[in-house]
Amino acid sequence: MPKIVDHEKQRQLVAEAVWRIIRREGMEGATVRRIAEEAGVSPGSLRHYFGTQSELLAFSMSLVSERVKERIARLKFTGEPLEDAEKLLHEFLPLDEEKRAEMEVWMAFTIKALSDVTLYESSSRVYAEMKMAVSLIIDTLIEKGLAQEEMDRDAQIEILYSLLDGLALHGIMQPDQVNAEVMRNSIGYYLKSICR
């Protein structure tokens, strides 16, 4: 009886191998040979799942955002706008080991995207989705009458979007100074600062 292989599951296992290599050795360590070795497959079978290394890296990058979306879909919102906003924003920050691993890999992919068109397109799409989530939060606070009356909507979207990026970067680069508590407090402080 031939062995039945779940191709999508195998692609995810290979992508997770890419993540482990990037976390240990950086993007330059993510060669086809090293990825195949880490995933426990031959380089030939790796090419069966991904036509090119660029396709493999793009899939691995997309898997990061898919995992975040899956977690967001499982969130239980309370209907309390500020509490729900914090809960949603926390999903974009390296507040635990799982999110930290994802964020480290995401940052490596983002830097690589500067010179790889395929990764750049994936990166741009994910950042656009993140900006939509930030816009939704600001718009909800305005619609619910919680935001300050004279607040500049567009400016606050940019500020919150930049705050998320900055906290994520510093949470990865300086975890002893920008730890989970600092990140949570910063998000909470920001949201309260734009509300009445």
Side-chain angles (χ1 to χ4, degrees), residues 78-133:
T78 65
E80 168 55 46
L82 280 176
E83 187 179 325
D84 289 345
E86 284 189 51
K87 201 178 278 194
L88 177 58
L89 292 169
H90 289 170
E91 292 304 319
F92 298 106
L93 296 170
L95 297 174
D96 58 35
E97 186 52 34
E98 177 185 8
K99 293 177 192 172
R100 178 178 184 75
E102 291 170 353
M103 190 57 62
E104 286 176 8
V105 171
W106 180 258
M107 292 293 180
F109 280 126
T110 299
I111 292 165
K112 175 78 172 160
L114 294 173
S115 61
D116 185 315
V117 174
T118 307
L119 293 182
Y120 183 80
E121 289 168 1
S122 294
S123 175
S124 295
R125 186 177 59 255
V126 170
Y127 276 110
E129 290 169 357
M130 190 170 100
K131 196 165 189 176
M132 282 175 43

Side-chain angles (χ1 to χ4, degrees), residues 1 13 26 41 55 58 64 83 90 105 149 164 171 184-185:
M1 184 106 149
L13 291 174
V41 299
E55 182 186 330
V64 176
E83 187 179 325
H90 289 170
V105 171
E149 279 186 42
L164 274 178
R184 284 190 179 96
N185 289 343

Side-chain angles (χ1 to χ4, degrees), residues 2-196:
K3 184 177 172 185
I4 297 172
V5 177
D6 182 339
H7 291 287
E8 189 57 29
K9 177 81 170 158
Q10 190 64 33
R11 284 166 58 91
Q12 289 184 18
L13 291 174
V14 170
E16 289 167 357
V18 172
W19 294 3
R20 289 191 298 275
I21 291 169
I22 289 172
R23 288 190 79 198
R24 277 196 321 263
E25 304 170 30
M27 188 63 77
E28 59 278 358
T31 64
V32 170
R33 186 182 61 75
R34 286 287 299 118
I35 293 166
E37 183 181 298
E38 181 75 23
V41 299
S42 71
S45 65
L46 192 64
R47 288 187 188 89
H48 174 72
Y49 297 111
F50 301 98
T52 65
Q53 184 181 23
S54 189
E55 182 186 330
L56 166 57
L57 294 177
F59 178 82
S60 300
M61 183 180 197
S62 295
L63 188 59
V64 176
S65 69
E66 289 306 313
R67 296 271 170 95
V68 174
K69 286 180 198 173
E70 288 169 11
R71 278 199 309 271
I72 289 171
R74 291 192 306 266
L75 286 176
K76 302 267 192 275
F77 291 110
T78 65
E80 168 55 46
L82 280 176
E83 187 179 325
D84 289 345
E86 284 189 51
K87 201 178 278 194
L88 177 58
L89 292 169
H90 289 170
E91 292 304 319
F92 298 106
L93 296 170
L95 297 174
D96 58 35
E97 186 52 34
E98 177 185 8
K99 293 177 192 172
R100 178 178 184 75
E102 291 170 353
M103 190 57 62
E104 286 176 8
V105 171
W106 180 258
M107 292 293 180
F109 280 126
T110 299
I111 292 165
K112 175 78 172 160
L114 294 173
S115 61
D116 185 315
V117 174
T118 307
L119 293 182
Y120 183 80
E121 289 168 1
S122 294
S123 175
S124 295
R125 186 177 59 255
V126 170
Y127 276 110
E129 290 169 357
M130 190 170 100
K131 196 165 189 176
M132 282 175 43
V134 166
S135 300
L136 175 67
I137 288 169
I138 297 296
D139 288 340
T140 300
L141 294 176
I142 292 169
E143 288 165 16
K144 299 286 184 183
L146 297 172
Q148 295 176 11
E149 279 186 42
E150 303 302 316
M151 186 180 83
D152 182 331
R153 173 195 178 269
D154 294 337
Q156 292 304 326
I157 288 170
E158 292 300 328
I159 290 167
L160 179 52
Y161 182 63
S162 299
L163 176 63
L164 274 178
D165 262 356
L167 287 172
L169 177 63
H170 290 288
I172 293 300
M173 299 302 294
Q174 300 172 326
D176 53 326
Q177 294 174 32
V178 184
N179 57 30
E181 182 181 5
V182 169
M183 288 185 269
R184 284 190 179 96
N185 289 343
S186 297
I187 291 296
Y189 177 82
Y190 167 78
L191 291 171
K192 287 185 180 94
S193 77
I194 63 167
C195 290
R196 300 178 189 209

